[in-house]
Amino acid sequence: MSAASNNERLEGEPMSLWVATGGTTEYPGLRGEVEVDVAVIGGGIAGLTAALALKRAGRTVAVIETAHVGTGVTGHTTGKVTSLQRLAYTELRDSHGIDTARAYGQANEAALGHIADMVATEGIDCDFRRVANYTYAETDEALARVRAEADLAADLGLPATFTTEVPLPFPVKGAVRFDDQAQVHAVKYLQGLALAVDGQGSFVFEGARALGIREGSPCVVTLENGSVRARDVIVATNVPFGDHGRYDARSRAHRSYLVAGLVDNPPLDATFISVDEPMRSILTVGIDGKSYILAGGEGHPASEAGDTAVRYRRLAAFARDHLGITEVAYRWSTQDGIPLDGLPYVGLMSPTAKHVYVITGLRKWGLTNGTAAALILADTLTGRENPWAAVFDSNRAAPADSVKPSAAENPEAATATTKRTELAPDEGTVFEVGGESTAVYKDIEGNVHAVSAVCTHLGCIVDFNPADTTWDCPCHGSRFATDGSVIQGPAVVALPPRPVP
Ligand code: FES
């Protein structure tokens, strides 16, 4: 349901530190037709990593990015590059068995090594640096769990130790530590990948929205002003475009929040995540002579946003009280698919697809999982065996409860409208106008913008998100700007304009 905005008191620029400090790229849009070996839809970590790996293997590629390189989900990451992902190995062993946990760890370690290799061999200036990563415990119950995770991860061959020496400026009981992990300026890294992809018969297109995929020989990806013909297509758009595999029903859209605060004397030289709730993710970043501490957390299913402004405030308070920030410089939120069985989906788009592939469900660890996924598909498309392909197989059997509501199945989400009649500046709400649910936003100058409130994915009614000034769909996580344009799928079509009530 819509919520009033109390945005004005939120600290910090409402944008990602990485996007704010990464500069921008200016690749052309596509006009006309191009033919390549592989079309890659999505200029994030998965798409660009796959494109460059394929180009290095002798294929021509075209990357189709709807906005600019690095401005999507990858540009809103924490920047952690690590195979230590809270208590992932305990969870994967318990749900899938020890071999799957081992394969997942190996794939993520290989991804970390691949990123280091790309930075070195392509000469990418992206603040990549090796740091230790910790999953820390503040309670006795969590301590037992990190001890078990450390033992298990070490048994799996991962660089794990249990330690009570945790370099945080507040007391904790102990942690799992993985050595030789990393952090990176994600936007600069992607820009370096894009630079290496473009040229010699391969392309990066920006401002290029794919409208359809026709599978065949060749496949044809249609765009507004052109098309790409390719033997194979990789869909790496976070939430799959042209989804025939029901990934919206096989993943749960999950949102989380980050603040980047300025610090005078950075106390940390490692990355951290807590086991105890509320979960907190922490790292230190130096950019242009300034030191920032990033504090992340406040995650929730996209359908349960609540008061998003309060979430930012809680993170800011944590960063101030526990980490000594002097002010919040940036704040942003991000959203990723959590696969219902805990493993990313990588492979053919559907059981009947032959040349259309998908990468999705990266479970909020996209820098390594996206890289691992990209390398799996690069191997698949060049006829090489990949030891982890079966574990990530996109067409594995789905868990039984993997059905999520559409508007038809969720009447409440399809009819939720408000009785409010007035809006304050920077506030949005949903009105019933002439029998149509209309999403109405009044900007800070007092101009009113109205679009349909009916999500163009499957017809649920969007909610106003006052902290991010977006229209968010509670059913499968699509997000729209106040002018109706799509920020994040599965919707691919904008909310159409409506008369201002
Ligand atoms: Fe599926 Fe909106 S109905 S994201």
Side-chain angles (χ1 to χ4, degrees):
M1 180 48 67
S2 308
S5 167
N6 49 7
N7 222 11
E8 53 277 7
R9 298 205 310 277
L10 279 179
E11 284 182 88
E13 287 290 311
M15 68 190 306
S16 147
L17 170 69
W18 314 115
V19 173
T21 60
T24 191
T25 46
E26 292 294 344
Y27 292 98
L30 174 60
R31 301 254 180 287
E33 197 170 278
V34 298
E35 183 144 3
V36 288
D37 295 322
V38 185
V40 179
I41 305 175
I45 185 78
L48 284 165
T49 304
L52 183 53
L54 286 160
K55 181 179 178 182
R56 284 177 153 214
R59 305 299 191 272
T60 55
V61 297
V63 175
I64 301 161
E65 164 56 41
T66 189
H68 289 278
V69 164
T71 56
V73 175
T74 310
H76 293 75
T77 175
T78 59
K80 291 180 180 177
V81 184
T82 181
S83 60
L84 175 59
Q85 300 172 4
R86 222 175 174 202
L87 301 178
Y89 298 102
T90 302
E91 290 160 10
L92 288 172
R93 181 204 54 199
D94 292 350
S95 56
H96 293 277
I98 192 84
D99 291 340
T100 295
R102 182 180 293 108
Y104 184 90
Q106 288 173 348
N108 274 268
E109 274 289 305
L112 166 59
H114 181 81
I115 291 172
D117 187 41
M118 289 302 99
V119 170
T121 58
E122 297 293 342
I124 302 174
D125 180 9
C126 57
D127 307 332
F128 178 88
R129 66 192 182 102
R130 292 283 189 173
V131 289
N133 183 27
Y134 296 80
T135 297
Y136 66 88
E138 295 163 282
T139 62
D140 288 335
E141 189 269 333
L143 189 67
R145 296 167 73 198
V146 299
R147 222 184 257 281
E149 179 81 352
D151 290 345
L152 171 60
D155 285 349
L156 296 175
L158 296 163
T161 46
F162 172 79
T163 181
T164 53
E165 309 271 308
V166 185
L168 279 166
F170 55 88
V172 304
K173 298 211 169 201
V176 192
R177 185 182 76 217
F178 273 27
D179 292 319
D180 277 332
Q181 306 298 292
Q183 63 183 71
V184 71
H185 191 305
V187 170
K188 291 183 184 174
Y189 177 63
L190 291 196
Q191 290 172 349
L193 294 182
L195 191 64
V197 166
D198 196 49
Q200 299 92 40
S202 291
F203 307 89
V204 176
F205 297 114
E206 291 187 327
R209 181 178 290 279
L211 299 175
I213 304 169
R214 197 182 71 228
E215 178 154 11
S217 301
C219 301
V220 179
V221 180
T222 52
L223 291 83
E224 238 162 45
N225 298 306
S227 61
V228 178
R229 295 158 69 86
R231 182 174 192 279
D232 296 297
V233 178
I234 295 175
V235 178
T237 50
N238 183 251
V239 179
F241 162 80
D243 179 354
H244 303 297
R246 289 304 314 269
Y247 296 98
D248 58 356
R250 295 162 64 194
S251 296
R252 194 167 287 119
H254 209 266
R255 193 170 311 154
S256 47
Y257 300 78
L258 282 148
V259 297
L262 287 162
V263 277
D264 295 330
N265 299 305
L268 320 164
D269 193 24
T271 61
F272 307 87
I273 195 165
S274 71
V275 173
D276 297 286
E277 297 290 345
M279 189 276 283
R280 293 290 181 253
S281 179
I282 302 166
L283 69 156
T284 307
V285 178
I287 300 176
D288 299 333
K290 292 182 180 167
S291 295
Y292 301 88
I293 285 187
L294 269 58
E298 296 292 320
H300 60 82
S303 56
E304 298 167 16
D307 187 338
T308 47
V310 167
R311 298 181 186 280
Y312 284 117
R313 289 202 182 90
R314 282 198 287 253
L315 283 178
F318 170 80
R320 213 178 285 284
D321 297 345
H322 287 70
L323 301 165
I325 68 160
T326 53
E327 66 176 269
V328 174
Y330 300 97
R331 61 179 168 84
W332 65 100
S333 68
T334 187
Q335 195 168 291
D336 200 8
I338 308 295
L340 295 190
D341 65 0
L343 291 164
Y345 297 110
V346 183
L348 286 164
M349 177 68 87
S350 71
T352 56
K354 297 205 165 25
H355 294 285
V356 179
Y357 295 84
V358 68
I359 295 172
T360 191
L362 300 180
R363 59 192 307 271
K364 293 192 177 181
W365 296 97
L367 291 180
T368 48
N369 270 329
T371 300
L375 298 179
I376 288 170
L377 288 193
D379 282 350
T380 303
L381 269 56
T382 52
R384 290 191 299 248
E385 281 280 309
N386 183 288
W388 309 300
V391 167
F392 289 70
D393 180 10
S394 49
N395 289 303
R396 62 185 180 268
D401 65 345
S402 61
V403 178
K404 298 177 69 188
S406 65
E409 297 154 340
N410 185 0
E412 192 181 330
T415 58
T417 55
T418 183
K419 297 277 186 275
R420 295 174 55 83
T421 56
E422 285 187 12
L423 290 175
D426 203 23
E427 185 181 9
T429 195
V430 175
F431 290 103
E432 196 69 18
V433 182
E436 291 193 49
S437 296
T438 303
V440 183
Y441 169 67
K442 183 187 275 187
D443 65 26
I444 44 180
E445 273 95 37
N447 305 309
V448 179
H449 310 262
V451 293
S452 167
V454 181
C455 177
T456 55
H457 178 227
L458 291 174
C460 292
I461 299 298
V462 296
D463 283 338
F464 186 61
N465 175 344
D468 293 331
T469 320
T470 53
W471 295 107
D472 298 348
C473 181
C475 283
H476 313 101
S478 291
R479 304 183 79 183
F480 303 87
T482 52
D483 65 0
S485 56
V486 177
I487 296 172
Q488 190 159 13
V492 293
V493 175
L495 300 173
R498 287 279 178 265
V500 172

